[in-house]
Amino acid sequence: MLIPIGIFASSGAIAAPGSFDLLESTVLTGTQATVSFTNLTSKYAANYQHLQVRLVAKDNRSPDASSRMYLRLNGVSSGYRWHELGGEGSVVYSGVGSATDRIIFQANTGNSGNFGASVIDLLDAFEANKNRTFRIFSGQLVSGFNLVTLVSGSNFSTSSTDSLLFGSDFGSFVAGTRLSLYGIKATA
Amino acid sequence: MTMRFIQRVELTSNQAAIELTSIPSTFTDLKLVYSLRSNRSDAPLDVLFIRFNGIDSGYSRRQLRGNGSSSTSDTGDTQQFNVYGLNANNSTANTFSNGELYIANYRSSNNKSVSIDDVFENNATEAWQGINAGLWSNSAAVSSIRLTMLFGNSFLSGSSATLYGITAGSSGGVVVS
Amino acid sequence: MSYIALATTTLTSPDAEIVFSNIPTSVNGVALRDLVLVADFTTATSSTSYIFFNGNDANVTSVRMGGTGSGSGYSDTYTKIFISAGNQTTGQFATAQVFDFTATDKHKTALTRNGNAGTLTQASAGRWASTSAINVLHIKNESNTAFGTGSTFSLYGVA
């Protein structure tokens, strides 16, 4: 059964706004050590309740080796804890991260064109009465290092989310790495 | 307007349950995101209960979860979806779980398939991440969602649940052969 | 509005393959980056369902983790991007997110979640080792068993 998709039907009227909006996006055109989204509270707290980051990433670590990436909140480099449930192709594992200066999850390296992917959800991103808890669904496919993971992480601070910094644990991101920040509303 | 906000509950005081009611019958799927903490004080973990339409039967689920040390898979209750991954009041202060419930075809007269992914964090080895497949064997449309817990007796102030409706696009004149 | 409904179908009779074709790269001037498939379906017999792109189901690697309801879970690798496993006769629910589907300088990476309350829950990551932009998405299963009447498949684009 074939389902042809035409141009999204619009009838000429302006579509009513939804609750899920692209806020910012970065696609690297060259090598870059980190990518940041900044001034988030002043820009988005009034209109959005939750945040989501969708990304594909690759770094410049030696080919066919596993790699990782990390995130930091509000420029803070201490007080983090993160945990991981993952499948690596033969067993399921569960563990607690040893690093406390960042939240680590999977990126990718390996052959040209091979990017890992992640979806990061942060609920109540700007609320003053709760710590930020990230839920991260990630995957990478590198020969010998295939991984699918569900990661949780926090830095146990009630500060509003004002910046998110992403970096590679073993090098720099390469061209084509893309990080997109979305806001999710909680009003009609 | 494919994804649209329906309603949000955010507690300003402790409350035994969170309910999202009068869910309109105008969407295809429902997506609930929740940030919760229970008042259980003797352990970091509580178990979230999810019920539809106030009905306490017809639920089943399979779960894979990790607790920072080991992974476990089990099946669930029949009286509600029981999901590990709810911060209790013995976990690190001010830390709330982060979860998502997706209900496909919530208006259908078929049984309702659901997916639930959630995590909670804790400044210790023990913290939980889980993926769940669930089924509510009931032909009724989902019109309300009620959240409670196993061990504690109230969600703490600051707990929140936000409900969205997802509307699938038209088929553009497709013919199924 | 960055989550855009592209197409949907509910089967009125069994069908062995679902094909979404002519997937646009933009909608009303808004460039799409990712695809999200939401599927709620049955098959007449138990069989593994998967997605592939542009008529080419080769050059795929995937890794999955799952739980069957006992033990500590399982993980393995395969050569298809799964959207189901185990018994689908009583219903499967799946989501598949395909990233940067219009890119011509990247392989196509997907994250999927699927499960059946009576059988298992599963998460997977998959890669189609092709730099071709995706304009067709296929859904079928390994036994060529038809998807059942009432099965729904919906495709969304993410800006």
Side-chain angles (χ1 to χ4, degrees), chain B residues 116-138:
Chain B
I116 308 169
D117 293 352
D118 64 8
V119 303
F120 89 71
E121 258 303 319
N122 186 31
N123 197 4
T125 298
E126 182 179 358
W128 292 73
Q129 309 78 41
I131 60 173
N132 301 266
L135 184 73
W136 185 46
S137 297
N138 194 299

Side-chain angles (χ1 to χ4, degrees), chain C residues 21-152:
Chain C
S21 65
N22 296 329
I23 299 173
T25 60
S26 65
V27 172
N28 286 344
V30 176
L32 301 180
R33 291 182 170 81
D34 303 334
L35 294 173
V36 178
L37 172 71
V38 179
D40 185 14
F41 61 96
T42 61
T43 56
T45 59
S46 180
S47 177
T48 299
S49 298
Y50 61 100
I51 60 173
F52 60 103
F53 312 112
N54 296 1
N56 183 351
D57 66 355
N59 301 311
V60 172
T61 305
S62 70
V63 59
R64 57 183 179 173
M65 66 173 176
T68 59
S70 63
S72 59
Y74 65 88
S75 180
D76 57 19
T77 59
Y78 201 57
T79 55
K80 292 198 168 45
I81 300 175
F82 288 126
I83 61 164
S84 77
N87 185 0
Q88 301 169 73
T89 62
T90 57
Q92 282 268 343
F93 171 67
T95 60
Q97 307 185 65
V98 185
F99 296 81
D100 278 14
F101 74 97
T102 67
T104 56
D105 59 351
K106 296 174 180 146
H107 296 174
K108 304 305 176 291
T109 302
L111 296 176
T112 78
R113 282 280 289 111
N114 65 77
N116 174 305
T119 310
L120 56 80
T121 182
Q122 186 169 271
S124 79
R127 174 169 65 93
W128 179 43
S130 170
T131 56
S132 298
I134 294 172
N135 50 53
V136 185
L137 186 151
H138 305 254
I139 310 161
K140 62 186 299 186
N141 61 70
E142 291 191 301
S143 301
N144 283 319
T145 302
F147 297 104
T149 299
S151 296
T152 66

Side-chain angles (χ1 to χ4, degrees), chain B residues 1-3 28-29 60-65 71-75 102-105 110-111 113-117 130-135 166-172 174 176-177, chain C residues 1 3-15 38 40 65-73 91-93 113-123 150 152 154 156:
Chain B
M1 189 160 52
T2 301
M3 178 171 164
T28 308
D29 303 332
S60 57
R61 71 114 178 94
R62 304 266 157 170
Q63 180 178 79
L64 174 68
R65 62 180 183 266
S71 60
T72 304
S73 181
D74 68 6
T75 57
Y102 198 100
I103 311 170
N105 296 309
N110 296 327
N111 296 333
S113 295
V114 308
S115 176
I116 308 169
D117 293 352
I131 60 173
N132 301 266
L135 184 73
I166 312 290
T167 302
S170 68
S171 58
V174 174
V176 179
S177 62
Chain C
M1 186 174 62
Y3 193 66
I4 302 169
L6 297 179
T8 187
T9 186
T10 299
L11 299 187
T12 56
S13 62
D15 201 321
V38 179
D40 185 14
M65 66 173 176
T68 59
S70 63
S72 59
Q92 282 268 343
F93 171 67
R113 282 280 289 111
N114 65 77
N116 174 305
T119 310
L120 56 80
T121 182
Q122 186 169 271
T152 66
S154 299
Y156 303 87

Side-chain angles (χ1 to χ4, degrees), chain A residues 27-49:
Chain A
V27 182
L28 299 185
T29 56
T31 302
Q32 188 166 311
T34 62
V35 175
S36 293
F37 299 111
T38 61
N39 299 315
L40 300 179
T41 301
S42 60
K43 289 191 289 190
Y44 305 123
N47 294 314
Y48 297 97
Q49 188 69 32

Side-chain angles (χ1 to χ4, degrees), chain B residues 63-91:
Chain B
Q63 180 178 79
L64 174 68
R65 62 180 183 266
N67 66 357
S69 299
S70 61
S71 60
T72 304
S73 181
D74 68 6
T75 57
D77 294 347
T78 59
Q79 296 177 307
Q80 58 266 317
F81 294 124
N82 61 321
V83 181
Y84 287 64
L86 171 57
N87 278 87
N89 215 18
N90 189 265
S91 64

